Amino acid sequence: MSISELSITKRRLLGGIAVAAAGMTFSASTAFAVDMPTADRDVDMEAALKPGALKEMALGDANAPVKIIEYMSMTCPHCAHFHETTFDTIKTKYVDTGKVYFVLREFPFPQDTASLAAFMLARCTTEDRYFPFVSMFLKQQRTWAAPADNDVRSAMLQLSKLGGFTQETFDACLTNAKLAGDVSAVRDRGAEEFGVQSTPTFLINGKAYSGDMSVDSMSALIDSLL
């Protein structure tokens, strides 16, 4: 998702998810060779790994040889696809074995209040529930980002209740102006300092890669850095 594609209508969001799913099926049935992802540009990884306005949400050993920072949006269908089809396998294969340190950073586009709100809710959970909450929202993206009745807030509330929220804690979280500013600051820093313009964007050992990655392509990239 790029900044120029910011205005997400119900039809475009659902269409994007459908296209991504169709593409996944086609690739799985026809691809035989794994293409190594091509970097967009170099980044200062030492600077990128310095925490910003909010506590870093990370998994794995900070001293792991491969370090990955993912900038993502909660309403981005490509981000949802990555977390549904690739993330868990990469976590098991590389993060849990001490080979990869994985950092997730918020990148809600400036007018995308739904993504901002979803990230705020994730931040209002306990630290150990952050990643499961994000995963739940991404896997149910269509149900809350584009509900049939267009009542996004109510759909988010119902899903948040599954993550332990009440009406009161939900409202308190979403009216926290400081938290909203801090989440937005994570996005602004990514754009201004590291050139992030689309989601998902991965910063991996000093290189920036834009776009979704399959298990095979991300594994090939990680293996080349070990």
Side-chain angles (χ1 to χ4, degrees), residues 145-159:
D149 61 2
N150 293 317
D151 190 348
V152 174
R153 186 181 179 90
S154 292
M156 293 180 76
L157 172 60
Q158 295 310 309
L159 190 57

Side-chain angles (χ1 to χ4, degrees), residues 158-206:
Q158 295 310 309
L159 190 57
S160 296
K161 286 181 176 179
L162 298 178
F165 281 86
T166 64
Q167 178 74 64
E168 292 72 21
T169 57
F170 178 85
D171 290 340
C173 181
L174 295 186
T175 54
N176 186 333
K178 182 180 185 305
L179 178 58
D182 287 344
V183 170
S184 297
V186 174
R187 175 203 63 221
D188 293 343
R189 179 179 176 231
E192 294 165 8
E193 296 186 25
F194 311 118
V196 178
Q197 294 294 315
S198 62
T199 56
T201 289
F202 302 93
L203 309 184
I204 305 177
N205 281 27

Side-chain angles (χ1 to χ4, degrees), residues 188-226:
D188 293 343
R189 179 179 176 231
E192 294 165 8
E193 296 186 25
F194 311 118
V196 178
Q197 294 294 315
S198 62
T199 56
T201 289
F202 302 93
L203 309 184
I204 305 177
N205 281 27
K207 303 285 185 181
Y209 302 82
S210 60
D212 189 7
M213 289 193 197
S214 67
V215 170
D216 288 344
S217 61
M218 181 166 271
S219 294
L221 178 57
I222 293 170
D223 288 340
S224 74
L225 298 170
L226 294 174

Side-chain angles (χ1 to χ4, degrees), residues 31-164:
F32 297 95
V34 177
D35 292 328
M36 182 75 73
T38 302
D40 300 325
R41 61 190 179 282
D42 294 336
V43 294
D44 184 340
M45 203 66 186
E46 183 177 353
L49 286 166
K50 293 179 180 178
L54 288 171
K55 179 178 175 58
E56 207 78 283
M57 290 294 121
L59 297 170
D61 183 355
N63 295 313
V66 179
K67 297 174 175 62
I68 300 175
I69 300 171
E70 179 195 4
Y71 282 92
M72 54 85 71
S73 166
M74 286 286 234
T75 55
C76 164
H78 303 293
C79 301
H81 183 254
F82 172 79
H83 278 266
E84 187 168 356
T85 64
T86 300
F87 177 75
D88 288 342
T89 300
I90 294 299
K91 179 180 179 296
T92 299
K93 187 176 180 181
Y94 297 104
V95 177
D96 295 345
T97 57
K99 297 175 183 177
V100 165
Y101 178 61
F102 191 98
V103 179
L104 191 153
R105 287 188 184 156
E106 298 91 342
F107 202 89
F109 289 91
Q111 303 303 316
D112 190 356
T113 55
S115 181
L116 174 61
F119 277 130
M120 290 172 66
L121 291 166
R123 285 284 182 173
C124 285
T125 64
T126 56
E127 186 175 342
D128 63 316
R129 293 170 65 187
Y130 179 86
F131 276 91
F133 191 90
V134 168
S135 177
M136 177 179 71
F137 260 67
L138 289 175
K139 289 177 180 178
Q140 297 295 323
Q141 190 182 75
R142 283 173 290 184
T143 67
W144 63 269
D149 61 2
N150 293 317
D151 190 348
V152 174
R153 186 181 179 90
S154 292
M156 293 180 76
L157 172 60
Q158 295 310 309
L159 190 57
S160 296
K161 286 181 176 179
L162 298 178

